[in-house]
Amino acid sequence: MILDAAAPISEERAISLGALTARIAGRMATPELRDVWTVAEASDMRTSGGHCYLELIEKNEATGAVTARLRAIIWASQFNCLQMKFAAVTGQRMSTGMKLLVRGTVNFHSAYGMSLVITDVDPSFTVGDVERRRREILQRLTREGIAEMNKRLSWPVPALRIAVISAPGAAGYGDFMHQLYANPQRLRFRVRLFEAVMQGEHTTASVINALERIASDDDEWDCAVIIRGGGATSDLISFDSYELASNVAQFPLPVIVGIGHERDVTVLDYVAAMRVKTPTAAAEWLVGQAQTLLDGLRRTAADILQTVTDRIGGCRTQLAYIEGQLPHAPKAAIERANAMIGAKAMQLSGAATARTAPEPPKARISLLRPVQRWNAAVKDSTPPAPCSMPCRQWPRSDADIR
């Protein structure tokens, strides 16, 4: 049957709000809504009277928009036990921004509405989720080719102009400054604090803003230092941010990260040029770098001094030798010059004598003249008369001789 909207509704047909909420509560009291494990992100987490009140939310991974929301409560009788259990595994307390795997029962109260009463938590899920998020951020930075950019920057030598990002009045900042200025070598550093929120949901935006202020005047600084002292590890979750890691990775100056304690690790530790365990360690590293350079300069100065000393010593020895030889040197030089002049004079006299002496006549012998005379004699002579006497015969044999 369709009711006429204009027709009046009798009071007898309406039910009270209490009756309506009771009906809802009765409908929700089913086994399917008791001891249910669910995954959600903790939001607006606070404590009051020993109880923990929070909201469980679910976000769209692509847009970040909240797609589901439910109030939750952990009663004081269980809250401390669950916190200790969670901290023993993860090293941190449950806090806003964490992704949790919790077990609870859906409850509907006529005055407070629907909520989830949490009775248990699985800390191993949160550990895995934090590591998964960190790994995904690093993989994204690697795909974009920026994960190693800050690590590849050259360090100014020495790095004495330091831009510090920290909370004003923080113990970590005080430790850093004391360690830096109380160095035994009295090295002089120029430091400026760029204030930022280092805890809570505004941390990421605040630190990025400080980085942008430093980058706008990067010629004035040698490096940037992001430091935060110890505390609850859950306070460091804001540093596991893609936006902040991307800004650090692409920062034009080398970045030193000293956040928390030695056991604490964030995404910034993987992309910064230098990672140290504490703010004090950051100052020690800077002092150590300057001290190394100073020691090198001192060694160079000592080497130069030794070289100059050796050279001067050698020159003095040579000068002393020359001073000892100087009284005899002119006489010896004159004697050598006279001997050389005498030798040259004798050579010159012999050469002159040889050139002025008369040359002896040279006999000219002709080999053709006897032959010519012989030919002329033969041509002019008459042949001789034949001989009338018998020619002597030579013996032809031994008998003829006998």
Side-chain angles (χ1 to χ4, degrees):
M1 179 177 66
I2 302 177
L3 298 176
D4 186 358
I9 305 298
S10 63
E11 186 177 348
E12 292 78 7
R13 294 176 60 186
I15 64 173
S16 67
L17 180 60
L20 179 60
T21 57
R23 185 181 297 179
I24 295 174
R27 293 293 181 88
M28 296 180 64
T30 61
E32 290 81 3
L33 299 178
R34 297 182 61 85
D35 294 329
V36 179
W37 285 96
T38 183
V39 175
E41 180 181 323
S43 176
D44 296 330
M45 195 170 182
R46 65 192 187 281
T47 58
S48 177
H51 310 297
C52 177
Y53 301 93
L54 68 155
E55 279 194 337
L56 299 178
I57 61 175
E58 182 175 289
K59 295 180 179 179
N60 184 304
E61 294 186 359
T63 63
V66 176
T67 57
R69 188 189 303 271
L70 178 63
R71 288 194 316 111
I73 183 172
I74 308 175
W75 299 121
S77 58
Q78 292 182 314
F79 180 58
N80 287 334
C81 293
L82 293 183
Q83 280 283 43
M84 292 175 63
K85 174 184 177 181
F86 189 85
V89 176
T90 64
Q92 52 191 328
R93 298 169 65 85
M94 288 183 290
S95 63
T96 296
M98 287 187 176
K99 207 164 189 179
L100 305 174
L101 175 59
V102 297
R103 183 175 67 178
T105 299
V106 177
N107 179 54
F108 189 87
H109 192 277
S110 58
Y112 302 106
M114 186 172 63
S115 62
L116 180 70
V117 179
I118 297 174
T119 57
D120 199 3
V121 63
D122 183 2
S124 60
F125 170 82
T126 303
V127 173
D129 183 68
V130 170
E131 292 297 330
R132 178 188 61 79
R133 285 181 54 196
R134 190 174 296 156
R135 185 168 57 251
E136 289 176 351
I137 292 172
L138 291 174
Q139 289 174 350
R140 180 178 175 183
L141 295 172
T142 302
R143 287 195 304 270
E144 294 173 354
I146 62 177
E148 299 290 328
M149 287 180 61
N150 197 254
K151 292 179 177 292
R152 289 196 290 263
L153 293 178
S154 299
W155 279 93
V157 180
L160 300 176
R161 303 175 300 167
I162 317 300
V164 180
I165 299 176
S166 185
Y173 175 66
D175 294 340
F176 174 84
M177 294 298 292
H178 174 75
Q179 188 70 28
L180 201 64
Y181 282 103
N183 68 86
Q185 300 298 329
R186 297 184 178 180
L187 299 169
R188 299 182 63 182
F189 293 88
R190 183 164 71 90
V191 181
R192 178 182 171 186
L193 174 64
F194 291 80
E195 298 182 7
V197 177
M198 305 301 286
Q199 179 177 335
E201 58 183 1
H202 300 295
T203 299
T204 298
S206 182
V207 174
I208 290 176
N209 179 264
L211 287 170
E212 290 174 348
R213 283 182 285 151
I214 297 171
S216 66
D217 200 15
D218 59 350
D219 291 339
E220 294 293 323
W221 310 106
D222 295 325
C223 67
V225 180
I226 303 175
I227 51 176
R228 184 191 185 280
T233 310
S234 58
D235 296 336
L236 307 181
I237 195 169
S238 299
F239 295 98
D240 282 322
S241 161
Y242 166 78
E243 290 76 14
L244 181 54
S246 177
N247 274 269
V248 171
Q250 300 178 81
F251 199 66
L253 298 174
V255 177
I256 303 175
V257 173
I259 298 175
H261 299 290
E262 186 172 3
R263 68 175 183 273
D264 298 320
V265 179
T266 68
V267 175
L268 302 189
D269 295 319
Y270 294 97
V271 299
M274 174 59 59
R275 185 254 174 177
V276 292
K277 58 185 179 180
T278 62
T280 300
E284 290 175 347
W285 188 86
L286 288 169
V287 172
Q289 292 295 103
Q291 181 64 52
T292 300
L293 177 63
L294 181 60
D295 291 342
L297 292 175
R298 286 174 174 171
R299 287 193 297 270
T300 302
D303 292 341
I304 294 174
L305 178 61
Q306 185 63 45
T307 301
V308 172
T309 302
D310 294 343
R311 186 66 179 270
I312 292 175
C315 291
R316 286 177 175 174
T317 302
Q318 186 176 8
L319 182 60
Y321 173 79
I322 293 174
E323 288 178 348
Q325 295 294 321
L326 190 59
H328 310 287
K331 182 178 179 180
I334 293 173
E335 292 176 352
R336 287 195 300 270
N338 289 334
M340 184 178 299
I341 292 173
K344 293 296 183 181
M346 293 180 62
Q347 293 178 2
L348 183 61
S349 175
T353 303
R355 286 182 175 273
T356 56
E359 294 184 1
K362 295 181 180 179
R364 296 182 180 180
I365 302 174
S366 176
L367 298 178
L368 295 179
R369 187 171 300 172
V371 176
Q372 292 175 353
R373 287 198 301 268
W374 171 261
N375 289 337
V378 171
K379 183 178 179 180
D380 295 338
S381 64
T382 59
C387 181
S388 58
M389 296 187 68
C391 295
R392 185 179 178 179
Q393 298 293 324
W394 293 96
R396 298 185 178 184
S397 65
D398 296 339
D400 295 336
I401 296 173
R402 285 190 303 264

